[in-house]
Amino acid sequence: MNGLRLSEVSWNRLAFNINTPLKGQKSGSHALSTQAGLSQQGNERPKDPKLWPYFQDGLRRIDYVLTYHVQKPQSTRKLSAKSCLCFKFRREQSSPPAHEDPELAAQEQRLDYHEDDQRLRREEFEENLREMGLEMEREEGNKIPGVGFLKIHAPWEVLCREAEFMKLKMPTFKVFVLKVNMFVQKVTATLQPKVGENRVYEILKRTKCTRAKYIMGKSHFLICDVVLILSLQILCEEWASYSIFYKYQPIGLIRKYFGEKVGLYFAWLGVYTQMLIPAAIVGVIVFLYGCVTVEDNIPSMEVCDERNNITMCPICDRVCSYWKLVTACGTARASHLFDNAATVFFAIFMALWATMFMEHWKRRQMRLNYIWDLTSFEDAEVSHPRAEYEFHVMKKSLKKEKPPKVESLFLLCGFVCSMQICVTLAIVFGVVLYRVSIMTALHMSSTPSFRTNIRATVKTTAAIINLIIIIIMDEVYGAIARWLTIMEVPKTDKSFEERLIFKTFILKFANAFTPIVYLAFFRGRIIGRPGKYIYVMGSYRMEECAHAGCLMELCIQLCITMLGKQLIQNNLFEIGVPKLKKMLRQRKIDKKHQEELDKTLHRHEKDHFLGPFVGLNPEYMEMIIQFGMVTLFVASFPLAPLFALLNNIIEIRLDAKKFVTELRRPIAVRAKDIGIWYTLLRGLSKVAVIVNAFVISFTSDFIPRLVYQYMYSPDGTLHGFVNHTLSYFNVSHFQPGTEPTESMHLGYKVEVCRYKDYRDPPWSDTPYEFSRQFWAILAARLAFVIVFQNVVMLMSDFVDWLIPDIPKDISIQIHNERNLIVELFMKQEQGKKYRNTIGDPSPQPLRSRPSSQKRISVLSFVCY
Amino acid sequence: MNGLRLSEVSWNRLAFNINTPLKGQKSGSHALSTQAGLSQQGNERPKDPKLWPYFQDGLRRIDYVLTYHVQKPQSTRKLSAKSCLCFKFRREQSSPPAHEDPELAAQEQRLDYHEDDQRLRREEFEENLREMGLEMEREEGNKIPGVGFLKIHAPWEVLCREAEFMKLKMPTFKVFVLKVNMFVQKVTATLQPKVGENRVYEILKRTKCTRAKYIMGKSHFLICDVVLILSLQILCEEWASYSIFYKYQPIGLIRKYFGEKVGLYFAWLGVYTQMLIPAAIVGVIVFLYGCVTVEDNIPSMEVCDERNNITMCPICDRVCSYWKLVTACGTARASHLFDNAATVFFAIFMALWATMFMEHWKRRQMRLNYIWDLTSFEDAEVSHPRAEYEFHVMKKSLKKEKPPKVESLFLLCGFVCSMQICVTLAIVFGVVLYRVSIMTALHMSSTPSFRTNIRATVKTTAAIINLIIIIIMDEVYGAIARWLTIMEVPKTDKSFEERLIFKTFILKFANAFTPIVYLAFFRGRIIGRPGKYIYVMGSYRMEECAHAGCLMELCIQLCITMLGKQLIQNNLFEIGVPKLKKMLRQRKIDKKHQEELDKTLHRHEKDHFLGPFVGLNPEYMEMIIQFGMVTLFVASFPLAPLFALLNNIIEIRLDAKKFVTELRRPIAVRAKDIGIWYTLLRGLSKVAVIVNAFVISFTSDFIPRLVYQYMYSPDGTLHGFVNHTLSYFNVSHFQPGTEPTESMHLGYKVEVCRYKDYRDPPWSDTPYEFSRQFWAILAARLAFVIVFQNVVMLMSDFVDWLIPDIPKDISIQIHNERNLIVELFMKQEQGKKYRNTIGDPSPQPLRSRPSSQKRISVLSFVCY
């Protein structure tokens, strides 16, 4: 642990992106894997040295390229940029495409350094690599000024050693199995190239610089490696194309090209999209059921019936007047589309769907682990401290300061987070105020035709405003989360990433869902009652819901958020911004050089101008917010899975295109699972159960309908339900100054108006108190929540238990392979025994010393 | 899979149980492990051949003894017993000590068999063993008539081969680590003996009989193995003794002697008992808090206040009369001990305690797995079909029948299970009837002093009756579960055990908890109201609760069940029955032989008379029912953890004594975890949260008190609470014939009496309807359930997330060992490279062929 690993040194890696197939390369890469050292002996000379990079001698293939900056005396501006490359890279790696100018950031974080020292460190590192058996060639600033390339070739022996070394980490058993399998399937050759290539990176990672430890992040190697050009071509054709959206993804190839971590992301996205298909179908059926039954729905029929001459209390003070319930007919009918018996079924279905999805993913992951031979891979680099952390600790110890207090940082973080959530709440409140004031203002206008459109207009504009704020705040919150995490200086890369994800998740989630939660659970519940309304900001009454509950508005909000967020984020951020960045980057190169460079540059030199890979977190985050939309409020919007499905079909190919053509090839990172995202998904699907229970029982009128039908209805039907939900108000009890000015608007004098609540009538002993019905319905709502939550949780656990985590065929395969080994071993042992008994002195190649004591240890070494 | 393994043949194993230390044996067992084949060469001749069994030649040690029955022509009675030994054994293995006569059972299940065939099969099996390299000696019926012993000796080579074979299943990595560790710790010698010994059993398991497959369970080998006598002695002194109850258990030694499965059970029991200590302390504090605050409790003060002249309605028809509330003073005060604010805290504490316990156990298990080197052990024998299953399938196919319908069996099982639960309900109902009728009968007696004791007497006798029924039905249900599982014919031993455990758990759990659930949630809630009581069986009114709720009675029931069940089951079943069985077994041997046998018999021959090991399931089951008592209703009985703790301290030593002295030594079974029991425990601790939520909100008066205090109390205190909980009843509304005959019992004419319920008074518009208060309190109760459940679940998840599953020191250790290997390997590689470069032609013992292609494969074989 005394040295400096490459992982602590700032570096980057460039990938080749080509769009033409290169037939010659296939055999080239093949050669490496099957015929040892052939490329060294020049048997496979490249047709065009520009397409397949070789050393100057034309014999040794370049396996990896490290790039670094060299001093360019004519430009002082470049110099400052160079000094902070390390920090820039760190930030780039997992932030969403940032808008900041790297030069600007660089100047802020400028650190002292010496050119000499940097060179020394580079040389030491090169020396270490050479000791590990790698061969190198240097090319400094002759084509691109200021950039040096260190080309690395890994000889066959080194590759072999690394291959053995990697296998050492795997259990005997797996290797045995692999051998058996490979023999049977004869796929040895196709697997090899990847192994050979990755080895090189393993050496680079392990190489340490023991000297100059205290100068952090100063040697500016940029690593780029030689890509599997063939794979890229196939990926372009078979993956990153919209025309094949119906096909499975070539996950094996994706993993081979981008590494396990990216492979798992796309596999997960695939499983998610696939699982959305049944959910979308059932959602559409539920919606259609609502459409079909809208004509038979007694409550909405009652609302629309002109004969039920119900006069409602005004929805705002003074300027609004009494109104007829029949005018809410349209809303009542529309509400039924989303608020019917099928909704309850759909909420249960989606809770089980979420469990099934998690299980399905677990199985898929298990299968991929088996296929990719990761079952016994364990992340060995968990506890490498980050460079920033060591730097931070060192700085502190130099200044004789106390180590950073974890508690104070934790408090700061909690404070900032809760402040941000307060900001979100304030924004929601602002939108509410906007709605209320606009509504009042519009009511003042006396054009009747204009008034009828009031509600719809206000709702839609408010939802759009909400959406825009959400999108803006999303970026702000992302930056804040990153800043907070950097402040914390977590010890390892893993903990850095986990903390960052967690914070970003909390903030972005709160941002996206606060308006929806407000609509679902608070809107229309804190309005007071006629004659005793609750006022905010002096004179604004809190908003009421339409007669049929707030479900309709919740739907509109969800619909606009989902559609808008996806369209804007997809189009603007994922396509537009990277294109813009690329343009900006290319502008930096002097115009005069541009064309000639295009012709002469090698592929790895061209790749320098592609966008950096910023990690998978933004992709995951987008998807998990969508998953939240699909599961959390699905009871109020059964079309959510359909919207998500349509988005994801595009999303997969969009991401694919981005990964293949827009970004530098990311470093292949091994991963066994999707990490913290799985935990977050699980948490979401648990929260979804309780949220849906509350949506059904409190937002929709499902429970009041049931209670009316079974407790109060005279004939056991819903006839009279609407009347039952409306309380009476004596207009003489209005607070002075709040009674409507146009009280004769409806053409007759109103003495008692109705409002939607369960309160005692004015003529009872306890006027306007919550009535017995109110408490009975409240109890029923709460009882429903308990029953729903526990039944659904029980069913989820049952589904979880029912579906085995390991697919049947995989477990059978593992079992069979184990049996095979046992038999193999026994046969071998019997053969040995036979030889021993007949006293055969033939050489036993694997055993050198016959003493029984020694033999055991040799044997155990041989076998394991 | 075509052969017949030993595991399909009926067999048993005898253990030596000695009570004197045998110093000589230490070196004897040591010899086997460290000095190859020494015992064969006679270097370590036993001092006394009776103490350490050897073959007749006195050279070869006996490692395992198989015993079988031979025909004894003089006894036809024995013959029938013999034929069914297989079935008898199967049943014995995991059923609780049954009362049935084995001879009787044997005759019922008699099958045709031929003596010749049995001998043939035995010989084939012996032949197969001999082929595996084992050496055997036969001893037939010369000391004990009718019993033959087949002594087995495993030569050194065989042990070596098996040792290698076992290691083959482990990953390279572990073995490497082990090697490093062992080198460092120099503990190689102490670990070895166990390994050498277990190998023999592995061979026996693997040996197949290919002929005579269709005759099942006929060769009656009884296997007994040679024990680690030294360990036993230490176990006797350091474990199976009541005087050292405060010490940790020697888990390592237990595991070494009894195998991992038993070791894990005792480790689990130890962790559970240890974790009970804080729970017991907090429980006692909560109880003491109740005792201290009983004087300040306003509701019980109000009940006891003579001035509150409250006349209550009679608790039974006609014979009971009106009564003064003040007579319930004692109950009200006692109730406060278990129903106060601290109870809510304690329920939350215990829910978190349960989570913490599960986490703690997970960590302990992980640590044991690491120490016992099981981290990469996987149960390879999962899918061996059971003998009964193959027999069943064969029988079906011979009779050309359809295979057994899984659905119909499932239905049958469900039917029987639900019928049993109905039986349990009927029993509970019977006890209720008993209580009601006795109560009425006692009320008829006119002695006042007698009457005051009525309630207490009836409660206690009813609880004792319940207890006795529970204990009897426990045994019945155990047998039913076993019968059902045998009917199902599960495919593998593992699924047999899991299904059996699951069924037994369901039935026993329902049996133990139905009376408690009735008391907690149903008693006193379905009584109707005065003037409209609910009658059962014609004229019996359902029981009421005392004024202060049913919590008090729940307490008594829990207390009696826990104490009684533990005392009776511990003393009677765990100590008494095995002793009785042993006596019965010894009686079978002719009296005249008894004394001379005692002198001449070898240890393995004496062990024949010990009780068989019936599996750990009864032990686990007992503990899990106790865990249920401790967690499920802890809100009503804070002393439960204390009772459980006291019981478990005894239980550990009791079980230890039983395992060491009463039972044949069980076959050492490898296990990584406690299997299905963990799932059941997890399930219980989840259910506990919701049950406790319901107990607090529905059984206790916690919520009504809160609601009164914050909604109805004029001064914000509990003054007037008792009056608020009592509704009014006009005595003129009694149904004719139900009014009390002695209506002047209290000395004045009663016009309005009070009863505990929230109903409208007789003078309201809706007399005797549930009042607004009723619904408000119901809503509050339900809201509390939701809040409590979700808060506690969230906290549990948080605790779960907070405590890492793998202890920090273990994960650091694993990490360090991994680093060590990497360094070792790299050093080795560098040395190799050096030799290669200087062209050293010295023999490389592990590599025979220099071609690079070949080298890779050899290397990979060498290293893994």
Side-chain angles (χ1 to χ4, degrees), chain A residues 184-407:
Chain A
V184 174
Q185 300 178 1
K186 291 179 183 160
V187 288
T188 333
T190 54
L191 278 172
Q192 209 79 349
K194 191 213 105 243
V195 177
E197 188 203 9
N198 273 358
R199 288 300 83 71
V200 183
Y201 179 63
E202 294 282 332
I203 305 176
L204 291 178
K205 267 204 305 193
R206 231 178 26 250
T207 304
K208 296 174 184 182
C209 290
T210 42
R211 277 173 283 156
K213 183 181 178 269
Y214 49 91
I215 305 145
M216 307 300 300
K218 287 286 169 49
S219 68
H220 302 132
F221 286 114
L222 290 167
I223 308 168
C224 49
D225 75 330
V226 173
V227 298
L228 294 166
I229 291 162
L230 185 74
S231 310
L232 189 63
Q233 185 54 28
I234 299 173
L235 282 179
C236 274
E237 284 168 5
E238 289 297 312
W239 184 47
S241 161
Y242 292 111
S243 60
I244 46 152
F245 70 91
Y246 55 89
K247 278 192 188 174
Y248 283 110
Q249 303 174 80
I251 292 294
L253 210 61
I254 297 168
R255 171 250 183 174
K256 223 190 252 173
Y257 187 79
F258 292 109
E260 278 82 0
K261 207 168 178 180
V262 176
L264 277 174
Y265 166 70
F266 282 104
W268 178 81
L269 192 54
V271 168
Y272 175 46
T273 307
Q274 208 182 327
M275 285 295 288
L276 275 175
I277 296 171
I281 292 171
V282 175
V284 169
I285 290 172
V286 165
F287 182 73
L288 290 178
Y289 170 84
C291 294
V292 169
T293 56
V294 73
E295 293 302 327
D296 312 329
N297 183 35
I298 297 169
S300 65
M301 271 160 65
E302 283 187 345
V303 169
C304 298
D305 194 344
E306 293 274 357
R307 290 167 298 174
N308 292 327
N309 192 12
I310 296 173
T311 309
M312 301 293 290
C313 297
I315 60 162
C316 65
D317 288 354
R318 300 186 64 237
V319 288
C320 306
S321 182
Y322 305 107
W323 53 288
K324 289 272 184 196
L325 185 61
V326 76
T327 56
C329 173
T331 326
R333 288 169 69 96
S335 282
H336 176 75
L337 299 183
F338 301 103
D339 181 7
N340 53 56
T343 313
V344 178
F345 155 77
F346 191 57
I348 297 173
F349 171 82
M350 283 305 286
L352 296 183
W353 174 86
T355 313
M356 225 119 80
F357 165 57
M358 301 307 288
E359 281 298 305
H360 192 66
W361 168 243
K362 246 194 279 179
R363 287 161 65 87
R364 178 96 173 109
Q365 191 169 267
M366 193 66 215
R367 190 185 296 274
L368 289 178
N369 274 341
Y370 178 78
I371 296 170
W372 295 350
D373 202 21
L374 293 170
T375 39
S376 47
F377 160 72
E378 277 164 61
D379 197 359
E381 281 163 82
V382 172
S383 42
H384 286 179
R386 289 168 67 231
E388 280 84 352
Y389 175 79
E390 288 189 347
F391 181 60
H392 179 82
V393 168
M394 208 171 51
K395 213 172 66 183
K396 291 273 167 186
S397 63
L398 283 178
K399 288 187 188 171
K400 303 272 182 210
E401 276 180 22
K402 277 181 287 180
K405 269 184 198 162
V406 178
E407 297 80 24

Side-chain angles (χ1 to χ4, degrees), chain A residues 1 34-36 130-133 156-157 160-173 175-176 179 192 206 208 378-384 679 686 690 694 711-712 760 764-766 769-772 775-783 785-786 789-790 793 797 801 814-815 818-819 821-823 825-826 828-830 832-833 845-849 852-853 855-864, chain B residues 1 34-36 130-133 156-157 160-173 175-176 179 192 206 208 378-384 679 686 690 694 711-712 760 764-766 769-772 775-783 785-786 789-790 793 797 801 814-815 818-819 821-823 825-826 828-830 832-833 845-849 852-853 855-864:
Chain A
M1 290 297 156
T34 52
Q35 287 163 278
R130 207 163 275 126
E131 267 173 30
M132 299 299 288
W156 180 243
E157 301 88 57
C160 289
R161 187 191 68 207
E162 289 297 311
E164 286 157 23
F165 185 65
M166 279 306 280
K167 278 187 196 156
L168 184 72
K169 289 183 183 168
M170 299 192 248
T172 328
F173 180 63
V175 179
F176 237 109
K179 284 197 175 296
Q192 209 79 349
R206 231 178 26 250
K208 296 174 184 182
E378 277 164 61
D379 197 359
E381 281 163 82
V382 172
S383 42
H384 286 179
T679 320
K686 271 186 187 172
I690 184 94
F694 273 100
M711 272 178 77
Y712 298 106
D760 284 336
S764 79
D765 300 340
T766 50
E769 288 284 287
F770 285 120
S771 66
R772 194 184 303 219
W775 293 109
I777 286 171
L778 182 62
R781 287 186 201 264
L782 291 165
V785 170
I786 295 173
Q789 184 185 5
N790 286 292
M793 274 181 3
D797 281 354
W801 172 81
I814 289 174
H815 182 74
R818 189 177 285 136
N819 282 352
I821 292 174
V822 171
E823 272 170 35
F825 184 81
M826 292 315 292
Q828 204 184 24
E829 279 296 320
Q830 266 174 343
K832 189 171 37 173
K833 191 183 156 197
L846 295 176
R847 243 156 273 138
S848 53
R849 279 161 238 188
S852 71
Q853 187 70 26
R855 205 181 104 206
I856 283 292
S857 73
V858 171
L859 253 176
S860 63
F861 185 66
V862 164
C863 299
Y864 325 113
Chain B
M1 292 293 158
T34 53
Q35 288 162 279
R130 205 162 275 125
E131 268 174 29
M132 298 299 287
W156 180 242
E157 301 89 57
C160 288
R161 188 192 67 209
E162 289 296 311
E164 287 157 25
F165 185 65
M166 277 308 278
K167 278 189 197 151
L168 184 72
K169 290 180 183 170
M170 299 194 251
T172 329
F173 181 63
V175 177
F176 238 108
K179 282 194 177 301
Q192 211 76 348
R206 235 182 17 253
K208 295 175 182 178
E378 277 165 59
D379 198 357
E381 282 163 82
V382 172
S383 44
H384 284 178
T679 320
K686 272 187 188 171
I690 184 96
F694 273 100
M711 273 179 77
Y712 299 105
D760 284 336
S764 80
D765 299 340
T766 50
E769 288 284 289
F770 283 120
S771 65
R772 195 183 302 217
W775 293 110
I777 287 171
L778 182 62
R781 287 188 202 263
L782 291 166
V785 170
I786 295 174
Q789 186 186 4
N790 286 291
M793 273 182 3
D797 281 354
W801 172 80
I814 289 174
H815 182 73
R818 189 177 287 137
N819 282 352
I821 292 174
V822 171
E823 273 171 33
F825 182 82
M826 289 317 291
Q828 206 182 25
E829 279 296 320
Q830 266 175 342
K832 191 172 33 177
K833 192 182 154 199
L846 297 177
R847 243 156 274 136
S848 52
R849 278 160 238 190
S852 70
Q853 188 69 29
R855 207 179 104 205
I856 283 291
S857 72
V858 171
L859 254 176
S860 63
F861 185 66
V862 164
C863 299
Y864 326 113

Side-chain angles (χ1 to χ4, degrees), chain B residues 477-510:
Chain B
Y477 286 153
I480 288 174
R482 175 157 288 275
W483 173 73
L484 276 177
T485 316
I486 289 170
M487 286 284 289
E488 271 183 28
V489 199
K491 198 172 171 189
T492 63
D493 274 331
K494 200 183 162 196
S495 83
F496 180 87
E497 198 174 271
E498 282 196 352
R499 284 177 193 211
L500 176 63
I501 289 172
F502 191 72
K503 282 194 197 68
T504 319
F505 174 75
I506 294 280
L507 288 175
K508 290 200 172 183
F509 206 80

